[in-house]
Amino acid sequence: MVGKSFNTLEEADSFYYDYAHTIGFSVRKDVMRRSTKTDVISERQWCCSGKGKRRMMENIITLPPKHTHSKDVMRRSTKTDVISERQWCCSGKGKRRMMENIVTLPPNRWCLARLRVVYCPVMMRYRVTRFEAEHNHKLIPNTYSHLLRSRRNCMPSHVAHVMALRKVSVPTCHTYEYMMDQAGGYVNVGFRAKDLYNKLDATRREIMFEGDTEAALAYLNGKCDGDPRFFCRFSVDEDNRLCNLFWRDSTALIDYGCFGDVLLFDSTYNTNCYEKPLVLFVGCSNHLSSVVFGCALLMDETIELYTWVLETFLSSMDGKQPKAVLTDGDQAMRSALERVLPGCPHRLCSWHIGKNVTANIKCPKLSKVFRRLMWDQLTPHQFETRWASMIEEHSPTNAGWFATMYKKLERWAETYCRGYFFAKMRSTQCCEGTNWYVKDYLKRGIKLVELVPIIYRAHCRLRNRLKELDYDSINSTHVLTTQLRELEKHAANTYTDNVFYLVWK
């Protein structure tokens, strides 16, 4: 080997790495010297990764802890079984054993195997000046050569492939299995799954070099450049840290102008590492499907913060107010709605009411009577009569809960909700469905800079579904089955498919 020459350093590097993988050891770069006149690398050396020696640990002396008390002596009478003597002492009492010298034996270190090349200006090539082939440790068999550190290399293309698949909810472990299948086995992949996770983590840290919040706001600012009607507003605390964030795009503004008569207002958890509630403003489209009007991240669920986000939402929608609002049973939400939208019809989610019924009413017969009161279309007089009869007949033990529900019956009983337009919605399931779309992309502990683009992609997914429904309604023809053919044909041409089936029934 001494005297052999290479055209470039890359050629020498590739040669020694291939040689090491064939023989069965791992390589790392060692010495490099550069010419001060020509700035050309004049000397380069590669060595076995076994080169070096671990430091030997010195004597370790553990000092006694701070002055605290602990229980010491206790004697108990053998006749009466009563404690006859008790002693407490300082926890510093006694003497701890000093650990002996801990010597870590170097696992076959100081391996001298190496390759050194020096640049020859006359030949304009790199010439081998030293080559050590002997190792003082066992070499790796060919069966394990693909696990050598110097052979494992996770390329940027692999990371880009994983990131692209993660956007459509494909886990990293499944992507690695796919790469293994395409390569023809684990031996041919070129890296381990742990290497891929480490590379992804490093890439993730590079993305957030400016800070999580700054990067997320920079992403939203980028949206503003391409969308003149994009709206974003945030607030900070005394330490200039992000507290609350609201945003919506121009498509949401158009959707709210078309479908903003009924507003669903709900929050969800465990979407980010800061445990900020994700608030969604959702409506019902002309296909009876979910449509998102805006999103917000709040510091906490208080009346003041809900008031802030509602006022910000209405301000972003040019002041247009909904005709009805549907929420869950959160008291802070209800108080904020009374502040911002006084007199607006407000209905509580029937699904949450049903869960409360199951939790508070243990009698199946009483639960059935209560549910009928919630759903039956009665007059106010009939409702009051049945309610009084239910209380008198069953004498519920949980009278406090029944009294609380009676105070807000105008928000959950079908009797008192009739006459208001709620777009055929009785629960916040549209919000729950939207949350499902969002959470399909999320994992617990996600950063803010990752959360905002994921929410945007989830909204794009919902909007694409709306376009598909539009296409199907425009390009489909219903089979007329009733005797009122002209009326049925007019309804088929006027309504969307979902609404037509609703009217047809």
Side-chain angles (χ1 to χ4, degrees), residues 166-185:
R166 286 180 66 178
K167 292 180 180 180
V168 291
S169 305
V170 178
T172 304
C173 57
H174 294 174
T175 306
Y176 180 76
E177 294 295 326
Y178 170 76
M179 292 179 178
M180 179 274 299
D181 184 69
Q182 294 295 309

Side-chain angles (χ1 to χ4, degrees), residues 82-131:
V82 176
I83 297 176
S84 58
E85 182 180 350
R86 189 49 154 154
Q87 177 176 297
W88 291 264
C89 67
C90 173
S91 58
K93 176 185 177 182
K95 185 178 180 181
R96 287 191 175 182
R97 180 176 58 87
M98 296 175 57
M99 298 179 64
E100 300 177 355
N101 292 349
I102 299 179
V103 180
T104 56
L105 298 176
N108 298 324
R109 292 306 184 187
W110 290 115
C111 181
L112 300 178
R114 69 191 68 187
L115 172 69
R116 182 186 299 169
V117 296
V118 176
Y119 182 70
C120 181
V122 178
M123 301 173 55
M124 298 184 66
R125 293 166 63 88
Y126 286 91
R127 183 171 175 271
V128 178
T129 60
R130 184 170 183 179
F131 178 79

Side-chain angles (χ1 to χ4, degrees), residues 1 8 67 96 110 231 259 307 309 352-353 401 423 445 505:
M1 284 298 301
T8 61
H67 182 81
R96 287 191 175 182
W110 290 115
F231 184 93
F259 313 119
T307 302
V309 73
H352 287 88
I353 297 294
W401 181 81
K505 290 180 180 180

